[in-house]
Amino acid sequence: MTILERYQAMDYATAPEARSEADAWLAARDFSKSLFIAGDWRAGIDARTFDTEDPSDGKLLAKVSEAGAADIDAAVAAARKALPKWSAASGYERAKVLYAVGRAMQRHQRLFAVLESLDNGKPIRESRDIDVPLAIRHFIHHAGWTQSLDREFPGRKAAGVVGQIIPWNFPLLMLAWKVAPALATGCTVVLKPAEFTPLTAILFAEICERAGVPKGVVNIVHGGPEAGAAIVNHSGIDKIAFTGSSEVGKIIRKATAGSGKKLSLELGGKSAFIVFEDADLDSAVEGLVDGIWFNQGQVCCAGSRLLVQESVADAFIAKVKVRMSRLRVGAPLDKNTDIGPLVDRTQLDRVKRLVEEGARQGAVCWQPDCDVPTIGYYHLPTLATGVAPANILAQEEVFGPVLATMSFRTNEEAVELANNTRYGLAASVWSENVNLALHVAPQLKAGVVWINGTNMFDAACGFGGYRESGFGREGGREGLEEYLAPSEPHGPVIKPAAPRPAARDNGEGHAIDRTAKLFIGGKQVRPDGNYSLPVLTPKGKLAGEVGLGSRKDIRDAVSAARACKAWPDATAYNRAQVLYYLAENLSGRTEEFASRLVELTGASHKAAKAEVEQSIERLFYYAGMADKFEGLVHQPPVRTVTLALHEPVGVVGIVAPDDAPLLGLISLIAPALAMGNTVVAIPSETAPLVATDLYQVIEYSDLPAGAINIVTGKRAELTAVLARHDDVDGLWVVAEAETCAMAEAESTGNLKRVWTGHGRSLDWASAEGEPFLRRAVEIKNVWVPYGD
């Protein structure tokens, strides 16, 4: 018998991963005391528990103690008590602890992997070969950051006590993504795992005990929405980090508005998987399997929308169906399993409902003819063809093994279809022409783009989304930023403007009456309502009138900003030249602007002239940085380079302060423009004529129409309109606390990026540098493989 004949005659059986050690661990632990608070194991004060089940058969794994509000209070108090000593520890001391955690996880990585598959249902190959090693990588990688924080992030300190809420789809990996950078930067943690999947977090807490994590630095509390709400609303927490659905993310955004808490949200996605006609179709099929059926499709960045070029669509779909027919659906601890069960009955029912609705809306849903276990929460891999762009399967995050397919003809159509979603988390581009791939990648509204690959992650590379996929980043340098805060004290509190006396004529003759209009789309235009707002000097004299802007005027300004393509498409060098020219033209009118500031603010001529000169200097600074605040190239431990590209946020609304009305306005507008954003600005309410005097300077400084738009009027009213406008991508507000809180609360519609001064002003004489430049960019990580 030949070797080939022997090979073909061999009888193969499944090879389940041994679960004896996991069962022994489950049997030995008292899960009624599984809250880890201040280094101790506790039962919940209310003695409540909840069940966690094996999704492959529905059998009970453990009854886990459930935290209530009083338990959250205790955890926050423990974290607050531990914070001063932990944040003051040297980088070396913290590095030793993080390294010890990573090494201890390595020693128990098989137990972590089996528990993860038991609790979550994901195939053991994924938890063993992807989730656990990458979680370990995060702790060891972030141990290396601790000793260089002062050098790499000068003027920054730990954000404080951090409340972290993680989902059930990657229980251990999401824990590592959040806990590692928090500990590295000197924060202390109160973490709530998902109630479906608490087991690996409990094992991690045991690791923290063994690795010498100081008591109170890491606190792990289990529970459902009540515990999550208690964390979000707790006044003793300085930052919230949440991964989960966009709907819950919006609730958290509104709940934290005005609290001063830092917030990062990693939310849902509807990622495009784009296959061009010159792609290696066989490789793309394998990438698609990883992109949508990895973890049963329960992945926020799953490539759930297949966009394939029309010329190869039929051939590609045929290959996909053949590959789907060979996928094995079965027990997660079987090393031959490709697709395990969904996490819970409720998730299975939700996926079934969405597939049924997608079919009702015209999609043709195909499933392979393969065996499925009769017990457990299994769903066959599903291919939906004939999907219209508005079909629910193309728009809603299914979070299951369901792939929606559409075709395109041109590159431009592919980009348009890919961006036809409210999400913006990830995308995958397949082409043998790297020039084409790198041309398309920057046009995709997604925080991560994989070229000829998918679902690639590393601790050195940032991960996070645009639009309703959230804001902030996990991993890498930008992930560390989320756990750092400025070390300088806050500026003075901004008080609501006191009512000024009624305007009175100054009794002096006027040459020719000037009407200060709004500035929209490169033109001076009257306000829609044809009302004006008097501008008074500090002594109550009428200095002039400006247009009283309204919702309609903000709408027109945002439309003009969105239509301006010339500015974001310009090279950074060209933007720099325009900003230099703007500074040059402003400098020629220094005395005129200084006199206006004297009139409107009552400042001395010397102080007013200094403000104008500082404004010119500020323009020079940001002009110089336009082509220097650049991205990075990461080298993860695979044959890939990751390009961390800086991209403009988009349309940025800016609400300028009353103090330093010229310098404050310039200090906010200039960095936004330097990074390629277009701007809708609301100038000082008490001294808006300083801004309207800028119109002529802007008009002859080569700024394209719509790059900057200025709407004068009542600050609070116009801020509310900007916050609610779903075509505004970012909002910066320096105003009284009430207006700042309102801006954050009203921004939830499209989860725009909001920065406020939380009711405090800044030292405008020194308010320059990277903080505003960082706020003016989105960071897109483009993964480019190399080698054969």
Side-chain angles (χ1 to χ4, degrees), residues 131-292:
D131 292 30
V132 177
L134 190 51
I136 294 166
R137 157 85 170 142
H138 270 265
F139 280 98
I140 294 178
H141 172 82
H142 284 92
W145 270 111
T146 59
Q147 291 171 270
S148 59
L149 290 175
D150 290 342
R151 181 181 69 251
E152 295 293 330
F153 302 93
R156 314 299 291 283
K157 64 178 181 179
V161 175
V162 179
Q164 301 176 323
I165 302 172
I166 59 175
W168 45 260
N169 57 335
F170 290 92
L172 182 65
L173 186 54
M174 293 296 101
L175 178 151
W177 278 19
K178 286 180 167 52
V179 173
L183 298 191
T185 52
C187 297
T188 54
V189 168
V190 177
L191 179 134
K192 189 194 86 66
E195 59 268 40
F196 286 156
T197 52
L199 296 183
T200 48
I202 295 171
L203 178 57
F204 175 78
E206 292 181 359
I207 293 292
C208 289
E209 282 187 298
R210 300 171 195 168
V213 177
K215 292 184 177 181
V217 169
V218 172
N219 305 273
I220 296 180
V221 289
H222 306 280
E226 178 188 343
I231 290 173
V232 168
N233 296 315
H234 204 291
S235 60
I237 286 179
D238 304 296
K239 173 189 164 55
I240 298 293
F242 172 78
T243 296
S245 71
S246 296
E247 290 73 21
V248 176
K250 291 179 180 182
I251 293 170
I252 292 174
R253 165 75 280 183
K254 183 159 286 190
T256 57
S259 67
K261 291 184 175 81
K262 287 197 72 172
L263 179 62
S264 55
L265 301 173
E266 197 264 281
L267 307 176
K270 196 66 184 173
S271 301
F273 190 101
I274 308 172
V275 180
F276 288 97
E277 60 187 358
D278 65 345
D280 180 336
L281 297 188
D282 291 325
S283 294
V285 167
E286 293 305 312
L288 184 64
V289 169
D290 183 41
I292 181 57

Side-chain angles (χ1 to χ4, degrees), residues 291-604:
I292 181 57
W293 292 301
F294 175 57
N295 196 22
Q296 295 74 255
Q298 300 170 129
V299 184
C300 54
C301 56
S304 55
R305 289 186 300 142
L306 170 62
L307 310 179
V308 57
Q309 198 150 20
E310 192 174 271
S311 57
V312 296
D314 290 343
F316 189 75
I317 294 300
K319 288 177 178 287
V320 170
K321 287 183 175 180
V322 170
R323 185 66 177 87
M324 288 175 67
S325 67
R326 293 172 181 165
L327 293 172
R328 288 194 55 168
V329 180
L333 292 185
D334 184 337
K335 286 182 281 191
N336 295 306
T337 291
D338 297 302
I339 298 177
L342 300 183
V343 74
D344 185 78
R345 168 66 63 185
T346 55
Q347 182 64 15
L348 177 60
D349 291 343
R350 179 180 183 274
V351 172
K352 288 180 176 179
R353 284 197 305 271
L354 287 171
V355 171
E356 290 171 0
E357 179 60 22
R360 192 189 68 79
Q361 294 180 8
V364 178
C365 296
W366 180 88
Q367 295 175 332
D369 183 13
C370 61
D371 295 331
V372 179
T374 56
I375 58 172
Y377 310 129
Y378 292 92
H379 193 287
L380 280 170
T382 302
L383 174 67
T385 55
V387 177
N391 188 292
I392 194 169
L393 296 179
Q395 290 298 322
E396 295 298 323
E397 185 179 31
V398 177
F399 227 61
V402 180
L403 176 65
T405 305
M406 292 170 277
S407 64
F408 64 89
R409 294 182 178 180
T410 65
N411 301 346
E412 293 75 19
E413 186 183 0
V415 171
E416 185 176 358
L417 283 171
N419 290 337
N420 182 32
T421 172
R422 68 181 188 273
Y423 299 110
L425 188 54
S428 185
V429 178
W430 291 78
S431 172
E432 289 296 280
N433 183 346
V434 71
N435 292 327
L436 172 61
L438 290 176
H439 172 69
V440 168
Q443 299 179 65
L444 300 176
K445 296 298 182 183
V448 180
V449 178
W450 297 293
I451 293 176
N452 292 332
T454 191
N455 282 337
M456 291 184 280
F457 311 99
D458 186 63
C461 306
F463 179 86
Y466 293 7
R467 296 174 169 173
E468 291 188 33
S469 290
F471 45 78
R473 293 293 183 265
E474 309 265 13
R477 185 184 183 92
E478 50 266 43
L480 281 169
E481 292 275 2
E482 300 299 327
Y483 293 93
L484 293 168
S487 56
E488 68 270 11
H490 295 294
V493 173
I494 299 175
K495 298 179 181 179
R500 289 192 173 183
R504 55 189 177 86
D505 199 323
N506 58 19
E508 300 172 2
H510 295 281
I512 298 177
D513 184 70
R514 290 181 59 198
T515 302
K517 301 177 182 178
L518 312 181
F519 190 69
I520 297 176
K523 299 177 181 179
Q524 299 185 41
V525 298
R526 291 187 178 89
D528 178 69
N530 278 316
Y531 283 100
S532 60
L533 188 70
V535 180
L536 311 181
T537 70
K539 295 182 179 180
K541 293 182 178 181
L542 183 66
E545 293 181 309
V546 295
L548 182 62
S550 65
R551 180 184 60 84
K552 171 68 163 53
D553 299 308
I554 292 291
R555 188 194 72 183
D556 291 344
V558 171
S559 295
R562 180 65 65 191
C564 177
K565 304 299 183 184
W567 188 248
D569 289 347
T571 66
Y573 176 53
N574 285 342
R575 293 198 300 269
Q577 291 182 86
V578 172
L579 290 176
Y580 277 129
Y581 193 34
L582 185 64
E584 175 187 336
N585 291 329
L586 179 59
S587 69
R589 300 174 64 171
T590 298
E591 287 298 328
E592 175 189 338
F593 277 87
S595 297
R596 179 68 90 177
L597 285 170
V598 170
E599 177 190 20
L600 296 177
T601 67
S604 68

Side-chain angles (χ1 to χ4, degrees), residues 626-644:
D627 59 356
K628 297 174 185 65
F629 188 69
E630 299 176 304
L632 300 169
V633 177
H634 301 300
Q635 295 178 278
V638 290
R639 292 192 305 174
T640 302
V641 292
T642 306
L643 313 176

